[in-house]
Amino acid sequence: MKITIYNMKGSAGKTPMAVNIALDREYALATNEPYNILDTILPEERLFSLQPDEEFPDFPEGIDVVFDLAGLMSRDARPSIVSAVSQSNVVLVPIYNELKCIHAGIHTIRELLPYNKNIVVVATKLVKRKGEVFKDWGDCEDAKNIKAVVDHAIGQGVPVLPLKFSRVFDTIFEQELSIRQMMEKDALARYTYRDVAAQFDTLLSYLEQHYA
C-alpha cells in the first residue's frame, strides 16, 4: 500500500503515525521535510526525502510507502504533496479537537479531494474528560466533536477513526521502535500501551481491508 499522512497544520500527529507504520510494517518512509531526524531511526534504503517543491517519483506497486508530508499546497510544497497524494491508496488526515486544527483539517480535506477521494480522518490526541464514561474511544466527546464537524463540512462519507493521546508517540523516537515492538520487548509496555496499540491495529486493518 501507499499511504499519505497530511494535515497542513503541524502537531496533529503526522510524523509519529508515519514512523510507527514504517517501523511496524517495514514500509519505506517518504517525506518532503529534508531536515529531519528520521535518518537516525530508519535505514537509508527505506527513507526517501526531498525538497517541498520537488515531485516524488512514482513508486512501483511492490513497494509499500508511507508519505509524511508538511507544508501548504497553496505554496512551494504543492509539487511534493500532489505527487504523493495522487499515487496513494488512501490519505490519512489527523485532526485533534482544537479549533485551529479542525479548521485546518477541513481545509486540507477540501484541497486533497480533487487528487484522491480516499480520505480517512484520524481523531488524534483523544483524552477522557471529567465525568465521561464510554467503552469505545470513538464515543468520547473529542472524537464525536471532530466527526460532527467533518460530517457537516464534508459529508458523512469520510470515516473518522479514534487514536487516544499517549506519550508512547514520543517514545517511538526515543527507543526507535514501533509501539508493538516496544510491547514485545517489555512486559510493562504490553500493559501500558495496549489500548493505543489496539487502536492503531484497528486503523491499519481498516486501511488494508478497504483500500489495499
Side-chain angles (χ1 to χ4, degrees):
M1 284 186 71
K2 294 176 181 60
I3 303 169
T4 286
I5 305 179
Y6 176 59
N7 183 335
M8 64 179 62
K9 187 181 185 310
S11 303
K14 299 187 298 287
T15 300
M17 290 172 60
V19 172
N20 192 59
I21 292 172
L23 290 172
D24 194 64
R25 301 299 175 95
E26 297 188 346
Y27 273 42
L29 194 153
T31 179
N32 63 354
E33 291 189 280
Y35 307 106
N36 56 68
I37 62 168
L38 299 176
D39 56 352
T40 66
I41 301 172
L42 295 164
E44 183 179 6
E45 66 273 14
R46 284 173 45 208
L47 180 62
F48 188 94
S49 62
L50 46 64
Q51 297 291 334
D53 60 354
E54 296 180 300
E55 291 187 1
F56 285 104
D58 288 330
F59 289 93
E61 282 190 16
I63 297 178
D64 296 317
V65 182
V66 55
F67 295 94
D68 175 28
L69 303 181
L72 300 177
M73 289 181 67
S74 58
R75 298 183 185 175
D76 292 346
R78 185 179 187 86
S80 57
I81 294 170
V82 170
S83 61
V85 170
S86 298
Q87 65 179 294
S88 293
N89 299 85
V90 61
V91 181
L92 303 183
V93 180
I95 302 176
Y96 62 93
N97 192 27
E98 184 267 339
L99 183 60
K100 289 181 180 179
C101 188
I102 293 175
H103 179 77
I106 296 301
H107 189 56
T108 297
I109 294 170
R110 287 173 173 159
E111 289 203 341
L112 292 174
L113 282 172
Y115 304 99
N116 195 324
K117 297 190 182 305
N118 293 337
I119 306 287
V120 173
V121 169
V122 183
T124 57
K125 299 185 179 183
L126 301 178
V127 295
K128 182 176 285 188
R129 306 293 179 183
K130 186 177 180 179
E132 277 195 272
V133 178
F134 53 81
K135 290 184 178 180
D136 186 336
W137 277 90
D139 293 328
C140 75
E141 289 302 318
D142 284 353
K144 288 194 294 186
N145 186 60
I146 293 168
K147 178 170 175 52
V149 176
V150 171
D151 286 350
H152 176 75
I154 306 297
Q156 296 186 355
V158 179
V160 179
L161 301 182
L163 193 61
K164 70 186 288 285
F165 172 81
S166 174
R167 299 196 183 280
V168 72
F169 291 110
D170 294 324
T171 312
I172 288 171
F173 297 94
E174 296 167 5
Q175 296 198 18
E176 301 178 5
L177 297 170
S178 74
I179 299 172
R180 282 293 175 191
Q181 288 167 346
M182 283 184 253
M183 293 173 69
E184 291 170 3
K185 186 178 177 182
D186 182 83
L188 182 59
R190 280 197 294 275
Y191 175 80
T192 306
Y193 303 144
R194 67 191 188 284
D195 288 344
V196 70
Q199 289 177 345
F200 219 101
D201 289 346
T202 298
L203 170 62
L204 291 176
S205 295
Y206 182 89
L207 300 184
E208 291 165 353
Q209 180 180 351
H210 291 86
Y211 304 107

